Amino acid sequence: MPPKGFAKLNCDEDTPALMKAALFSILCLLAVASPAPGANQPNFVVIFCDDLGYGDLSSFGHPTIKTPHLDVMAAEGQKWTNFYVAACVCTPSRAGLLTGRLPVRNGMCSDTRRVLFPDSSGGLPTTEITISSALKKEGYRTAAVGKWHLGHLPEFLPTSHGFESYFGIPYSNDMDMLRRESHFELAEKGDFSLYNVPLMEDEKILERPADQTTITRRYTEEAIRKINEFGDEPFFIYLAHSLPHIPLFRGKDFANTSTAGIYGDVIEEIDWSVGEIRNALDKAGVSENTLVVFTSDNGPWLKFKHHGGTAGMLRDGKGSTWEGGMREPTIMAWPGTMEPKIVHEMGATLDLLPTFVSLAGGTLPDDRTYDGHDLSRFITGEAKTGPRDEMFYYHGEQLFAVRKGQFKAHFKTKTSYTGQKNAETHDPPLLYHLGLDPGEQWDVAAENPGVLKEMQELAEKHEQGLERVPSHLVGKISD
Ligand code: MG
């Protein structure tokens, strides 16, 4: 391949030989100086769990679930203790990760239908730019593996959003149930037959119902196939596990092996998967050129008791804007580039798109508002502090809480999935100091009127500048 710019230069027949020689030398120098496409572009692998709690990994304090591969990844890389998701339930959280924008900006949240269902007619609009479509523009190869949940109709599937290929289930693993039976009993028996969820390859259904007892292994095999297929070309792999969202299913090698019961079995299989993927990157000789990010879409589904996870010392879980609903156990690794450490700075899945685009050498389009920050200088050690100092916590379409620094103000709260019908409004808002009180137990609003005022102003300013669009989650195919 000629060096960049070569095609634009023409050597005229009459150019003196000396000048031709000089021009040739310059072009040779340019060829050495200009990297081949992809040479300086890191690969990105995002491993995204479903409903994993902040306290579910041994490196995040779980006393009985064993996650040796993730623990090694945390020791070799960065363990983030203040990393957030864009929403406390599946669909909006995934939209936030892939677009770098709060779901209220692209219609991917709703107060009435909080996620997409098999009868939903909507999905992520193709006018949105995903991480995948942004990186494709920078010459990346791309693959989506696992749960999608951003629209199951062809125009919304991963292949319509910049992914070259897709292998996975289009929505949650508990949907399409043929007959209501106990999730607990079906999972313990390993009976997936009542969950008529399709397993898809690109836009085709491969299997229905998807065999969920082998699904973690098959996702892993597909991701490894892609790592080997892409080789030296820069790539982005989005591996979104369907689990540990209930119903819990695990492979036969993991059944009844964890001290923490079936939930532990499932997490330990995901941990095995992380080890396999990191081994595959090593074997392919690309691990030093690959940033791997491990996190989850929302907190643990607490109402499922021992089939749900734990948010550790954080309050509440999936479906709520308390910390347990939106702060996730997050680990990043990039051997040779990333300084190993425990990171207490704030980060969010919203930041991945700006960070990846920056590391890939691209720029963000200027025709839309982004809510993500570029973490690249911080994670590579060039900057000592991270760029994120605020977090906005949405419940459906409403702003429920705001964090700035160590303070968090709640304007509304709603406990997750416990039958509380309406959100409780707090006037004055509740105020917690997350440094002193990560479990959000002691309201310090009365002692900090100045901070409270600042938080209220921050929320007002944020809402004033927000361009909301109608929800895409409410329409039904039958409408
Ligand atoms: Mg989820």
Side-chain angles (χ1 to χ4, degrees), residues 207 211-219 249-251 269:
E207 180 180 299
D211 180 347
Q212 296 197 43
T213 63
T214 58
I215 209 155
T216 299
R217 175 174 58 74
R218 286 190 290 168
Y219 288 165
F249 292 107
R250 71 284 207 219
E269 186 167 12

Side-chain angles (χ1 to χ4, degrees), residues 64 111 155 173 176 181 232 254 313 448 452:
T64 50
D111 287 340
E155 62 268 36
N173 63 333
D176 281 331
E181 281 197 24
D232 288 336
F254 293 87
M313 72 189 301
N448 296 279
L452 199 59

Side-chain angles (χ1 to χ4, degrees), residues 237-451:
I237 297 174
Y238 173 62
L239 166 53
H241 284 291
S242 320
L243 294 160
H245 191 291
I246 63 94
L248 300 175
F249 292 107
R250 71 284 207 219
K252 60 181 185 336
D253 293 346
F254 293 87
N256 305 312
T257 56
S258 173
T259 316
I262 188 169
Y263 191 84
D265 291 345
V266 167
I267 304 303
E268 290 176 19
E269 186 167 12
I270 289 173
D271 178 71
W272 161 84
S273 169
V274 171
E276 291 297 296
I277 284 162
R278 294 194 77 213
N279 275 340
L281 293 168
D282 271 343
K283 279 194 199 147
V286 296
S287 57
E288 295 211 345
N289 193 37
T290 304
L291 168 59
V292 181
V293 178
F294 175 92
T295 189
S296 179
D297 68 336
N298 53 251
W301 208 346
L302 298 173
K303 77 168 189 176
F304 287 100
K305 299 173 185 166
H306 62 292
H307 281 224
T310 172
M313 72 189 301
L314 304 181
R315 184 164 171 176
D316 217 305
K318 173 177 180 172
S320 92
T321 49
W322 295 103
E323 288 294 291
M326 292 180 63
R327 200 192 297 197
E328 287 301 320
T330 301
I331 301 171
M332 301 187 196
W334 188 355
T337 294
M338 188 176 259
E339 182 197 349
K341 61 179 170 183
I342 296 175
V343 175
H344 298 290
E345 304 278 327
M346 261 192 257
T349 50
L350 291 161
D351 302 336
L352 297 182
L353 184 143
T355 303
F356 292 177
V357 168
S358 169
L359 289 167
T363 48
L364 290 181
D366 56 9
D367 64 343
R368 60 199 67 207
T369 305
Y370 282 92
D371 298 287
H373 294 270
D374 175 3
L375 304 176
S376 62
R377 295 188 67 246
F378 179 65
I379 62 176
T380 56
E382 277 177 62
K384 294 293 164 222
T385 52
R388 179 176 282 282
D389 190 41
E390 297 165 354
M391 185 64 207
F392 298 94
Y393 302 69
Y394 274 84
H395 188 282
E397 296 162 59
Q398 301 175 59
L399 183 67
F400 268 30
V402 169
R403 176 176 176 180
K404 183 167 175 59
Q406 292 299 340
F407 281 103
K408 177 177 176 187
H410 291 265
F411 309 107
K412 288 187 178 185
T413 52
K414 189 165 185 288
T415 307
S416 61
Y417 297 97
T418 50
Q420 182 188 343
K421 275 207 166 154
N422 299 309
E424 190 180 347
T425 301
H426 302 284
D427 188 16
L430 306 175
L431 186 73
Y432 296 93
H433 187 288
L434 296 176
L436 299 172
D437 177 22
E440 297 173 285
Q441 297 297 313
W442 310 300
D443 178 12
V444 292
E447 298 96 301
N448 296 279
V451 175

Side-chain angles (χ1 to χ4, degrees), residues 48-52 87-91 93-94 115 147 149 172 241-242 245 296-299 301 318:
F48 200 44
C49 294
D50 196 350
D51 297 2
L52 181 75
C88 51
V89 288
C90 294
T91 297
S93 175
R94 284 151 207 270
V115 298
K147 172 172 164 178
H149 217 179
S172 297
H241 284 291
S242 320
H245 191 291
S296 179
D297 68 336
N298 53 251
W301 208 346
K318 173 177 180 172

Side-chain angles (χ1 to χ4, degrees), residues 29-88:
L29 282 172
L30 277 174
V32 172
S34 306
N40 290 324
Q41 293 176 304
N43 307 311
F44 305 107
V45 178
V46 172
I47 304 172
F48 200 44
C49 294
D50 196 350
D51 297 2
L52 181 75
Y54 186 83
D56 281 336
L57 308 181
S58 44
S59 36
F60 278 77
H62 199 286
T64 50
I65 297 176
K66 298 180 188 73
T67 51
H69 299 287
L70 282 158
D71 302 343
V72 167
M73 184 174 155
E76 292 176 353
Q78 294 182 351
K79 170 180 150 176
W80 285 62
T81 62
N82 284 267
F83 199 89
Y84 290 96
V85 286
C88 51

